[in-house]
Amino acid sequence: MLNSEYDLGTVVNRNQFTETVELKECELVGRSLVARRPISCGDPVLVETPLLQYYLEPNCRSSLSPFYSKKLWKHIKDIVNSEDPSIEQHTELQQQHPSPAHSDNDSDYDSDYDNDSDDDDSDEEPATPTSSFIPGVPAAMLAYLQIDPPPAAPVTQSRHFKRAEPTFFDFFYHPALDMDHDTVRLIYQASKRVVSELAVYHHVDPEELCRFVLKIYGNAHTVALDRKANARSKVTLTHSKKHHRRQTVYAHRRHQDDEQGGSWASSPSGPRPSIALMLWGSKFAHACSPNLLLQYDPPSNTMMFVATRDIAQGTVLTFSYLPEDESLGGLVCGTTQGRRAKLQQFKFFDCACDRCQARDLCRGDAPCPDCGNSTWYQGSTRTWTCDACHATDAPLFVRPETTKGEAHVERMVTALATKVRTDPSVVHMMETYLNNLIQQHDDIPAIPHHHWTYGYIQGLLAIYHLDLFPRTFGKGLASQLGLTETGLNEARWYLLDFLHEQLWASNPVPVFFAAWHVLDPLMAVVMEGTEEKQYLIPVKKAKPDHTSDDDSDDSDDDAPPVMLDPLVIALPDAWASPVCAIVEIVASQWIPVIKQIFAAKESVVVDDMVQRIERWHQRVEKAKALV
Ligand SMILES: C[S@@+](CC[C@H](N)C(=O)[O-])C[C@H]1O[C@@H](n2cnc3c(N)ncnc32)[C@H](O)[C@@H]1O
């Protein structure tokens, strides 16, 4: 069994792990971990310390990236940028601004490392378009120096920096170096140039560097480190006259990071991503409806894989290599084709998971142009086959030649979502446009109601009507215009028709977090609309005659009103239908599952969300009883 054959040094729950899983060759997903026995929802399957971990974008002198220097970072970034054929203006820009990576004065790493010049802030505001492989490839290349440091490197015995054992890396899969794949080519070419152009890499075999980066791309996973915890314990920032500016720039950058993988309400103070390579965790296969959830625990620096449903013996254990939030191309938003393209580009495989092979629920159904029946799209490609009459004549919305069809709507929603994350007030300007987009017009085909873009737009509009509009223009006006009711019905569509109906059963955790952005303002509106605040005004005591002239003891006279528990009032009639439907699903179906999944590892954030939902549920029950 595992124990005798392989190293379990990184595994925290060794007995549980070896009793629960086995490593097997599987038909569709290759070598993978499989359930040896039935597993229950909430069971921790693996708890593991990463073999190698580093920040995706290191800070100056971070003790987790001992070879980091701004100059070296910039050199590697420039090389990767210039190797990326998708950056159109590349050649032209390179001629105008020759990259420092081409210059001869390639100073040795010691001076790079020590001379973190404050004046050289050129990398803070990139003037050129950036490759989507930045910062992933430069960060992996820097991390390689932890395994194969330059001969002249000082021996570092830092608490955080341990030289990783090279032999462990034999255990990781990587695609062939000559694979016909743009990303593999980019990494191969960049590795060759880094080794030949940068002194600190001169001792390195370029193919070995390339294999390492490909192993990281193919096997490692991004985890979100808590910035506050890191700021205290792990990262030492340089102090300089530009400290404040640097902080502002990093905050801005982090905000941009969050834009790509974060939430609608993401803030610059969100978690900071790092890359973790796990000996065993990296053996789990990917699925777009996974049966495990990966949770990172910063205090113990461990990664825990917990079952998100009951799993039968012999099932391939999976977690998601894609973001589990509602960012586009993750598990909640986007199409099968979009997820597959992302996995192919960054992980080098065509996803063969059950969800990708079934029909694509996120593309919804649409009337067949031939037989008129409402029917579903097939999942794996853009081609479409009618379930009823098997015609392959695609409805207007999905025809590639339709300029205002699916591709157009996806592009618009993607662009809008990116803007909204930076500035939610953008929805103010976009409300009419969004409403137009989801309604049928002569020249614009209707978005099928179960297409992910339709659900997503309903979610944006719900946030606008329940939160942004009242905050900007006043609750009175919002209520006079009937916007609360509109928002509640949009929320019902987003939460129930989109998230619950299409995704909840297979992806409970991402759905729960995606739902929160709408649930949060919705619950606030309902709580406020079903209560009347009550105050106790202290009664002035009648004072005895003989003290009436004495004002030394009249402190009670000024006692402020005491706020009492609010008086619960009936749920407004117009709200009852959407609110009752939502609370019924969320409180009775979602919460028990979420509690089970998070039972093994306490999450303050999830506990807080659950408690708020439970209080809201109780309130709705009381308010309903008063109708
Ligand atoms: C992180 S590794 C998983 C472990 C790997 N099979 C090994 O032997 O080390 C990722 C690789 O596993 C395979 N794989 C994982 N999930 C898959 C999926 N859903 N569909 C197809 N292949 C998958 C692909 O070859 C992918 O490149």
Side-chain angles (χ1 to χ4, degrees), residues 424-432 463-481 483:
S425 67
V426 165
V427 186
H428 287 309
M429 292 175 279
M430 301 300 292
E431 189 208 3
T432 315
I463 294 174
Y464 175 66
H465 290 130
L466 295 175
D467 186 34
L468 289 177
F469 187 97
R471 260 199 290 145
T472 314
F473 302 110
K475 289 177 187 163
L477 185 60
S479 135
Q480 272 174 31
L481 295 174
L483 297 188

Side-chain angles (χ1 to χ4, degrees), residues 25 28-32 171-173 218-221 281-288 318 321 343 347-353:
E25 200 55 41
L28 293 173
V29 293
R31 183 178 60 168
S32 300
F171 194 42
F172 291 97
Y173 139 93
N219 296 278
H221 299 285
S282 303
K283 296 291 168 289
F284 289 117
H286 162 87
C288 297
T318 57
Y321 299 177
L343 287 164
K347 299 283 180 184
F348 322 110
F349 67 89
D350 281 323
C351 185
C353 78

Side-chain angles (χ1 to χ4, degrees), residues 450-555:
H450 291 94
H451 196 275
W452 74 270
T453 50
Y454 188 92
Y456 195 85
I457 290 171
Q458 295 283 354
L460 285 174
L461 289 171
I463 294 174
Y464 175 66
H465 290 130
L466 295 175
D467 186 34
L468 289 177
F469 187 97
R471 260 199 290 145
T472 314
F473 302 110
K475 289 177 187 163
L477 185 60
S479 135
Q480 272 174 31
L481 295 174
L483 297 188
T484 310
E485 200 186 327
T486 308
L488 290 172
N489 282 309
E490 287 156 349
R492 168 160 57 182
W493 188 284
Y494 176 70
L495 295 170
L496 304 191
D497 297 60
F498 174 48
L499 292 181
H500 184 73
E501 214 177 276
Q502 292 171 54
L503 294 168
W504 165 259
S506 53
N507 276 304
V509 176
V511 162
F512 186 66
F513 283 107
W516 188 254
H517 304 291
V518 173
L519 262 185
D520 186 31
L522 179 150
M523 291 193 301
V525 163
V526 173
M527 293 301 268
E528 207 180 314
T530 53
E531 69 185 23
E532 255 173 35
K533 295 199 169 44
Q534 297 188 95
Y535 298 93
L536 181 70
I537 316 275
V539 181
K540 283 187 189 177
K541 285 185 203 140
K543 289 174 186 159
D545 278 354
H546 67 276
T547 57
S548 59
D549 290 332
D550 177 6
D551 21 65
S552 63
D553 186 30
D554 60 358
S555 53

